[in-house]
Amino acid sequence: MSIIDWLADKVQTSTGEKERRELVQTVKELAEEFRQRVSDAIARLNERLDGFNKILVKLNEYRSKYIKTNIEQLYIFLSKYGQCKPYNEYTPEEEKLPAEFPMREMVRIEEYVSEIDWSKDDVFLNTFLLSPLGMKFKTRNQNVSMHERINALKLQIEQTVQEIDMNTFTAGLEIEICNLYLRNVRTISEVITTKIVPEIELVDAFFQAEAIKDAIIVEAQPRELKFHYNVCTLIGTPYERHYQFIKNTFMFYVISCKIYDTPVLTHLLGHTTSIEDKKQIEGEHQLLLQQAQAVSESMTVARGGKIE
């Protein structure tokens, strides 16, 4: 080390400048660590969000193209047998959901990390404008501030990464809930199309045949027939199974309507899902299976496979 370097080092040490520069370097290293860790955390989050969007495409399609149509079809069938509310009347107006759930946007690192121009350093200008004593006074205060900033930066790194990781966890939970909901609506659609609709057509045919038989007995013209679907008249008769089927189907319809617009989806839309939502939607699936079993047991002809 030359005498000039030695003197410079002594001057910087006495003024606090050397410590300040060391602290600046520490800040630079922490900033780079911050960017890297945030970048890695965002990559994990975006991977989850991409998976969420893919399952959301399937959910939107199934809600709009299949389940809504199936439930509306079931409503038309059941309306012949008694008072039946449309599916959208089972959900309060303030809880009604959009026809399609929006995709989630990918997260950008710029939302968390700003670019820093390390070339903007006014300490050199201050060196010439202030006396050595004044410089020492200024840098000592700067160093105290920088120590505080370093500690704050370390804390910010951990808090930011934890925040992103929590969002990643939530996105993973949302994927699980989407899959569970998709399983529920597929179950509804399968039960309606493979079990209920064919059996209702059979029950319809039964009432129509009964009306035609009665018309023949009283010699009425077929074109004058009016079909009445009063299933309560079947209670206590050999055809009471038809009554039980319509009763169980109506309960399945009510459950399906409530599941179609389950409050869990409101939380999903607002990104406020929780473990409790997962438990609820799993409980709704069990309720569906129980009612689907009741429907199957009251059918005249066994149809469709086992519902799981």
Side-chain angles (χ1 to χ4, degrees):
M1 177 184 296
S2 69
I3 188 64
I4 296 177
D5 292 334
W6 181 83
L7 288 173
D9 181 70
K10 289 297 184 182
V11 171
Q12 289 179 352
T13 301
S14 67
T15 60
E17 174 62 11
K18 182 178 180 180
E19 182 186 3
R20 197 195 71 85
R21 288 186 179 279
E22 291 173 351
L23 292 173
V24 168
Q25 183 60 36
T26 300
V27 172
K28 288 181 180 180
E29 293 171 357
L30 282 173
E32 182 57 36
E33 177 190 348
F34 184 36
R35 170 174 283 276
Q36 187 59 53
R37 291 184 61 186
V38 168
S39 178
D40 292 343
I42 286 176
R44 294 191 296 269
L45 173 57
N46 282 339
E47 184 178 359
R48 287 284 178 85
L49 293 179
D50 182 61
F52 175 80
N53 286 340
K54 287 178 180 177
I55 191 67
L56 204 61
V57 170
K58 296 179 182 179
L59 189 150
N60 283 333
E61 180 181 18
Y62 222 88
R63 272 175 59 86
S64 61
K65 291 186 178 181
Y66 298 100
I67 187 66
K68 184 172 180 290
T69 301
N70 295 148
I71 290 179
E72 288 176 342
Q73 182 184 23
L74 189 54
Y75 164 73
I76 293 172
F77 273 117
L78 290 175
S79 294
K80 293 183 293 185
Y81 292 93
Q83 293 183 345
C84 185
K85 294 194 301 184
Y87 77 93
N88 54 5
E89 290 188 13
Y90 284 91
T91 305
E93 188 64 35
E94 64 275 10
E95 295 180 11
K96 290 188 185 300
L97 298 167
E100 186 170 289
F101 282 75
M103 300 292 105
R104 296 281 297 277
E105 292 185 3
M106 297 295 104
V107 177
R108 297 177 298 108
I109 192 171
E110 289 78 12
E111 296 177 31
Y112 291 90
V113 182
S114 301
E115 290 293 339
I116 300 175
D117 185 359
W118 294 103
S119 65
K120 295 179 178 179
D121 193 338
D122 61 354
V123 70
F124 303 107
L125 178 61
N126 290 334
T127 302
F128 291 101
L129 294 180
L130 299 175
S131 66
L133 182 61
M135 184 61 189
K136 182 177 180 180
F137 178 77
K138 180 178 177 62
T139 52
R140 290 300 184 197
N141 287 342
Q142 287 178 338
N143 292 349
V144 172
S145 177
M146 288 184 69
H147 275 298
E148 293 173 350
R149 290 186 181 183
I150 286 173
N151 291 331
L153 180 54
K154 289 178 180 178
L155 182 61
Q156 184 183 359
I157 290 173
E158 299 304 323
Q159 289 177 337
T160 303
V161 172
Q162 286 178 12
E163 176 189 336
I164 299 172
D165 286 345
M166 182 56 67
N167 290 339
T168 303
F169 171 81
T170 301
L173 183 60
E174 289 175 341
I175 290 174
E176 287 188 65
I177 289 174
C178 276
N179 278 317
L180 290 172
Y181 176 79
L182 191 57
R183 180 183 64 173
N184 283 355
V185 294
R186 281 174 172 164
T187 297
I188 292 171
S189 181
E190 184 179 353
V191 171
I192 292 175
T193 56
T194 66
K195 295 180 179 292
I196 292 178
V197 171
E199 184 73 11
I200 281 187
E201 289 175 345
L202 182 62
V203 177
D204 283 356
F206 167 79
F207 277 101
Q208 291 166 8
E210 286 293 300
I212 292 173
K213 181 188 71 174
D214 293 341
I216 291 174
I217 292 175
V218 299
E219 298 181 352
Q221 295 298 322
R223 64 175 178 273
E224 298 175 357
L225 290 179
K226 290 184 179 180
F227 299 121
H228 300 282
Y229 301 90
N230 186 357
V231 292
C232 291
T233 60
L234 302 180
I235 298 175
T237 73
Y239 308 106
E240 186 172 345
R241 179 179 289 268
H242 293 326
Y243 164 78
Q244 292 296 335
F245 169 76
I246 295 299
K247 179 181 176 182
N248 288 328
T249 296
F250 179 79
M251 286 302 302
F252 185 85
Y253 170 77
V254 173
I255 293 170
S256 298
C257 290
K258 292 184 177 180
I259 288 178
Y260 177 73
D261 278 339
T262 174
V264 172
L265 293 183
T266 304
H267 300 163
L268 190 69
L269 191 63
H271 313 307
T272 57
T273 50
S274 66
I275 297 296
E276 293 304 314
D277 292 322
K278 181 181 176 182
K279 291 179 181 178
Q280 178 176 333
I281 210 163
E282 287 175 336
E284 290 172 349
H285 184 68
Q286 292 304 312
L287 189 61
L288 265 181
L289 293 182
Q290 292 171 11
Q291 195 57 35
Q293 182 63 27
V295 169
S296 296
E297 291 174 354
S298 58
M299 289 168 55
T300 304
V301 180
R303 295 182 176 85
K306 183 178 179 181
I307 305 296
E308 297 179 344

